[in-house]
Amino acid sequence: MPNMSPKKAPMPTQDPDVRNKNFLEVATGYTQEVAIEEAQRCLNCKTKPCVAGCPVHIAIPDFIKEVANGNFAAAYDVISESSSLPAVCGRVCPQETQCESKCVRGIKTEPVGIGRLERFVADWHNAQPNAEVHKPESNGHKVAVIGSGPAGLTCAGDLAKKGYDVTVFEALHLAGGVLVYGIPEFRLPKSIVQKEVDTLKQLGVKVETNMVIGRVISIDELMDEYGFESVFIGSGAGLPRFMNIPGENLCGVYSANEFLTRTNLMKAYKDDPTTPIMHAKKVAVVGGGNVAMDAARCAKRLGADEVYIVYRRSEEELPARKEEVEHAKEEGIIFKLLNNPIEIIGNEDEFVTGMKCIKMELGEPDASGRRRPVPVEGSEFVLDVDAVIISIGTSPNPLIKSTTKGLDTQKWGGIIADENGLTSREGVYAGGDAVTGAATVILAMGAGKTAAAAIDEYIQNKNK
């Protein structure tokens, strides 16, 4: 019997005034009873429009039907046929603009909570003491994956399931890429990322950390000397962009990448951290995406009294997920919208003391389709802050490009790849942020999945 409730079951969360002082996960997840009730809202449409909205094409109505019947193990089996990182996706995917935006229930009421159900199923599976992973028989072929973020892990998982001997090379000391250095513990606990990585290792995937490809070993050496028949580049976009305004070299100015890496990967929020971080009292975060929200919410948890999001457009144009914006507001983050920084001010010791901004108004739409912000003459003011975090985007590190002959890239650094992920080098594929620039976890996963299928076809055809 379908549950015809017009609203999806709310996600229980920590109280905002409690959670903004700790790094524990904000959302606490559905209970079994709530998950079954929510799954019963699914109409199990014949056309399955939600599947078309999923970049990795999970058979969504099939897994939800299993949840509705209380068959959580079967639901996990359905999800894992398409996704190597279900516990991650259930937490950080922008479902509201993808699968849930296509949900028929959402036309007249609220869509089914697909992401929340995926998270529930993955968490249920990970809590089972005897969860087994079947390691497939080797097919005798070797593939190298550069980067252990969502694109790399997905590509590695899909190839391992087909019997490939896959080695993932990660530049940092811990696997997970942006999932461990970029996304805070309170949104994505690192134990969950580790569990997903461990599952891939059980499939036979090898992970080599502290391996900066392009410096330790080149792509040519991987193929010519180490016998890898194909290489997938999923090295992400870790090179931060700055605004090029006066004062960006002052003490107390961070890129969001550095600030989040120190906080998330190096655990700077602990009492005895291995890396220092400035515990500022008034912090301005420049930008309006999910990364900006993460940085602002981390700064609050690190003890800042006032944290500002400074964004040059209005709330309507904020690129961050609506849920992240709502959580930030609940936690006391102050939004200074329609404002743009023009200078960071410091004292004689070269520490930040303020940020000069100018008010903006929205004009005609620009190339992105959003209304272009225009400065309001004579509206300058100084925001009293002692730290500034710049979160206006990233681009790929040029190291792989500069050490791989014949690898074509865009002017801004992105690797040029076709719809299957094939680059200008035979046998070399790429996907995720290394190709597109900074985007979402699920789009990177979709690119890894597509490339894995293309790599399989390439190697099988080559060895006929």
Side-chain angles (χ1 to χ4, degrees):
M1 180 78 182
N3 169 11
M4 299 310 288
S5 169
K7 292 195 170 184
K8 70 170 107 170
M11 174 63 86
T13 61
Q14 282 192 72
D15 180 85
D17 286 334
V18 173
R19 71 183 192 232
N20 68 5
K21 299 171 187 67
N22 69 55
F23 276 80
L24 301 175
E25 191 168 14
V26 167
T28 52
Y30 281 169
T31 62
Q32 290 192 19
E33 294 74 22
V34 172
I36 290 169
E37 276 188 27
E38 182 60 25
Q40 288 169 349
R41 293 183 66 238
C42 177
L43 300 173
N44 206 5
C45 311
K46 284 184 179 177
T47 55
K48 303 181 181 183
C50 53
V51 177
C54 173
V56 295
H57 306 300
I58 292 170
I60 293 166
D62 297 350
F63 102 73
I64 290 180
K65 185 179 179 183
E66 298 293 358
V67 176
N69 292 327
N71 300 327
F72 307 138
Y76 182 82
D77 289 342
V78 173
I79 295 170
S80 59
E81 282 175 18
S82 303
S83 173
S84 299
L85 307 169
V88 170
C89 284
R91 285 167 166 82
V92 302
C93 259
Q95 292 97 359
E96 65 277 6
T97 60
Q98 294 177 335
C99 54
E100 291 182 17
S101 73
K102 311 288 185 188
C103 177
V104 173
R105 284 298 299 266
I107 296 170
K108 291 185 178 177
T109 59
E110 285 192 12
V112 175
I114 298 168
R116 295 170 182 180
L117 290 172
E118 182 182 17
R119 169 190 163 142
F120 167 79
V121 170
D123 287 356
W124 179 89
H125 170 84
N126 288 343
Q128 303 311 302
N130 302 315
E132 285 186 16
V133 177
H134 170 67
K135 182 180 175 181
E137 194 176 321
S138 171
N139 66 11
H141 298 292
K142 283 176 68 176
V143 177
V145 172
I146 301 171
S148 66
L153 293 179
T154 299
C155 184
D158 278 22
L159 288 169
K161 288 171 188 173
K162 293 177 184 290
Y164 285 90
D165 178 351
V166 183
T167 303
V168 176
F169 296 94
E170 168 54 49
L172 297 174
H173 64 279
L174 196 64
V178 72
L179 303 175
V180 292
Y181 77 74
I183 301 175
E185 183 81 12
F186 57 79
R187 271 219 297 143
L188 179 62
K190 302 309 154 227
S191 58
I192 285 167
V193 181
Q194 190 58 52
K195 181 79 176 173
E196 304 280 42
V197 171
D198 289 345
T199 299
L200 292 179
K201 286 180 177 177
Q202 288 176 288
L203 281 171
V205 174
K206 302 181 192 75
V207 178
E208 298 277 353
T209 55
N210 298 309
M211 292 291 285
V212 182
I213 302 302
R215 194 166 304 285
V216 182
I217 305 174
S218 70
I219 284 177
D220 289 310
E221 287 170 333
L222 286 173
M223 299 180 85
D224 298 341
E225 295 177 30
Y226 290 85
F228 290 102
E229 296 169 68
S230 183
V231 174
F232 174 75
I233 305 169
S235 50
L239 188 67
R241 292 184 194 145
F242 285 90
M243 297 187 71
N244 297 319
I245 58 173
E248 277 187 318
N249 60 345
L250 290 167
C251 298
V253 179
Y254 292 89
S255 70
N257 259 35
E258 180 191 354
F259 184 79
L260 290 171
T261 299
R262 285 177 183 269
T263 305
N264 302 326
L265 185 65
M266 310 301 291
K267 311 293 186 203
Y269 55 85
K270 291 191 171 179
D271 292 335
D272 55 343
T274 54
T275 185
I277 199 163
M278 191 172 174
H279 289 261
K281 288 301 174 189
K282 294 185 178 182
V283 180
V285 179
V286 181
N290 289 329
V291 175
M293 301 304 143
D294 287 345
R297 296 169 71 195
C298 282
K300 189 74 175 173
R301 284 162 170 78
L302 286 167
D305 296 326
E306 294 175 13
V307 181
Y308 302 96
I309 289 280
V310 181
Y311 182 61
R312 62 187 187 145
R313 289 183 161 99
S314 70
E315 184 162 347
E316 228 173 77
E317 288 84 23
L318 277 171
R321 290 182 71 186
K322 188 180 173 188
E323 181 180 80
E324 301 308 320
V325 174
E326 286 172 359
H327 281 169
K329 285 181 176 178
E330 288 170 0
E331 290 168 13
I333 307 301
I334 303 159
F335 283 71
K336 302 284 278 186
L337 304 175
L338 287 168
N339 288 290
N340 200 37
I342 52 176
E343 182 184 356
I344 301 169
I345 300 163
N347 59 20
E348 61 275 8
D349 296 323
E350 299 199 337
F351 278 83
V352 173
T353 58
M355 187 168 77
K356 186 185 280 190
C357 301
I358 188 166
K359 292 183 178 177
M360 311 293 281
E361 57 187 12
L362 295 178
E364 294 301 310
D366 61 14
S368 71
R370 295 179 298 173
R371 292 173 66 194
R372 190 168 62 86
V374 180
V376 177
E377 201 173 323
S379 64
E380 294 89 344
F381 66 98
V382 175
L383 198 59
D384 178 21
V385 293
D386 52 0
V388 175
I389 301 166
I390 308 291
S391 180
I392 59 169
T394 54
S395 55
N397 189 305
L399 184 60
I400 286 177
K401 163 194 158 185
S402 64
T403 57
T404 311
K405 285 181 183 173
L407 186 67
D408 292 344
T409 58
Q410 309 279 2
K411 284 182 181 176
W412 50 270
I415 297 168
I416 295 172
D418 69 12
E419 67 277 7
N420 295 314
L422 179 62
T423 70
S424 54
R425 285 283 304 268
E426 185 189 347
V428 178
Y429 293 75
D433 291 4
V435 171
T436 60
T440 62
V441 166
I442 190 66
L443 287 175
M445 288 178 63
K449 194 171 190 63
T450 298
I455 288 169
D456 175 47
E457 188 178 345
Y458 164 73
I459 290 176
Q460 296 307 319
N461 286 339
K462 195 175 77 164
N463 288 278
K464 274 182 180 175

